[in-house]
Amino acid sequence: MRITYYGHSCFLVEINGKKLLFDPFISQNPLASNIDSGKIEADFILVSHGHADHTADLLSLANQTGATVVSNWEICSWVQSKGYKKVHPMNIGGHWIFEFGKVKCVNAVHSSSLPDGTYGGNPMGFLIETPDGKFYYAGDTALHLDMKLIGDYKKMDLAFLPIGNNFTMGIDNAVIASDFIRCDRIIGMHYDTFDMIKIDHDEAKKKFDSAGKQLTLMLVGQTLEH
Ligand code: NI
Ligand code: MN
């Protein structure tokens, strides 16, 4: 799989021949000013919850790419009410087999409303399982015990975890989360974008390192192969 970082919690994951874009927030992110979102291509846009720092570019990028929007019922209904019809609504506990592989929606402990105040349903995380690799995209969440279910029943190659604190779990809890999910390869997200979520990169990496895990903090615009 090939991963490109567009800042905050927005990643493009190319896996099993498809392009999956997560939580598009680019045009309003000053740290992503080097990204030309007009060049982004996607087959699917997966949205963990409704907050603007995850949906600000959802409608424009859906229209630009023609991607299928995958999210909960409420967010998919909102997208359709804005005139974009290509959606696949899901909800926590359910999975669906797409062309690239399996998507399962899992619990996230957070809140969810859309930028115009519309109710955004429950926030979610995603488990993606394909012949090309498996990963967990946690969305915005606190540390929670349901993560142990992922560790007990799944073997994820890597996990995208929020580490910025204040709005989500911070570094210490993310280290515990990586134990719960039994995954040693973590890509950090939801940090540095706002003053309240600025982190010390060296300290964060050291904490994961001492737990025997690898934390990757990607540069905005960087692509890596896994
Ligand atoms: Ni949020
Ligand atoms: Mn957020």
Side-chain angles (χ1 to χ4, degrees):
M1 73 182 96
R2 166 191 268 230
I3 301 159
T4 302
Y5 188 38
Y6 294 132
H8 201 51
S9 296
C10 182
F11 295 86
L12 183 76
V13 180
E14 296 170 67
I15 193 162
N16 205 20
K18 295 290 175 194
K19 295 184 167 83
L20 280 55
L21 182 69
F22 289 85
D23 285 6
F25 170 69
I26 300 163
S27 60
Q28 293 176 22
N29 180 1
L31 300 187
S33 57
N34 61 325
I35 303 300
D36 179 1
S37 54
K39 293 206 172 110
I40 292 175
E41 296 175 354
D43 300 297
F44 295 89
I45 303 177
L46 291 87
V47 182
S48 65
H49 67 295
H51 291 155
D53 59 320
H54 302 258
T55 57
D57 297 293
L58 171 56
L59 295 169
S60 61
L61 284 174
N63 280 297
Q64 172 181 310
T65 59
T68 300
V69 174
V70 179
S71 191
N72 66 18
W73 177 264
E74 290 80 2
I75 291 172
C76 285
S77 302
W78 179 81
V79 166
Q80 289 195 313
S81 78
K82 301 292 180 186
Y84 190 79
K85 302 300 178 192
K86 209 168 153 191
V87 301
H88 184 106
M90 300 184 68
N91 216 328
I92 295 167
H95 80 248
W96 185 259
I97 310 292
F98 293 89
E99 301 104 288
F100 58 89
K102 176 176 169 181
V103 175
K104 184 175 177 71
C105 300
V106 296
N107 197 20
V109 174
H110 193 64
S111 59
S112 177
S113 54
L114 287 146
D116 61 6
T118 304
Y119 172 61
N122 287 315
M124 312 193 294
F126 298 105
L127 299 178
I128 312 292
E129 296 176 73
T130 84
D132 201 11
K134 303 189 214 182
F135 65 91
Y136 169 43
Y137 180 90
D140 280 8
T141 185
L143 174 67
H144 61 77
L145 272 173
D146 282 8
M147 289 174 178
K148 285 197 170 179
L149 290 171
I150 301 170
D152 285 349
Y153 294 101
K154 302 282 179 185
K155 185 77 193 95
M156 292 291 147
D157 304 320
L158 96 141
F160 297 84
L161 299 181
I163 56 170
N165 218 333
N166 193 70
F167 298 113
T168 66
M169 60 186 174
I171 294 150
D172 294 329
N173 279 184
V175 170
I176 298 170
S178 66
D179 276 338
F180 282 3
I181 61 175
R182 297 192 206 174
C183 182
D184 295 336
R185 179 88 209 284
I186 305 300
I187 295 182
M189 61 183 186
H190 215 273
Y191 62 92
D192 283 358
T193 317
F194 317 114
D195 284 344
M196 282 180 278
I197 59 173
K198 286 211 160 64
I199 64 159
D200 181 326
H201 291 210
D202 287 338
E203 186 195 353
K205 285 181 186 170
K206 272 183 203 141
K207 283 184 170 173
F208 276 88
D209 205 48
S210 0
K213 296 165 188 302
Q214 187 195 356
L215 173 70
T216 302
L217 300 177
M218 293 178 71
L219 299 171
V220 179
Q222 185 190 350
T223 296
L224 63 81
E225 301 278 347
H226 178 77

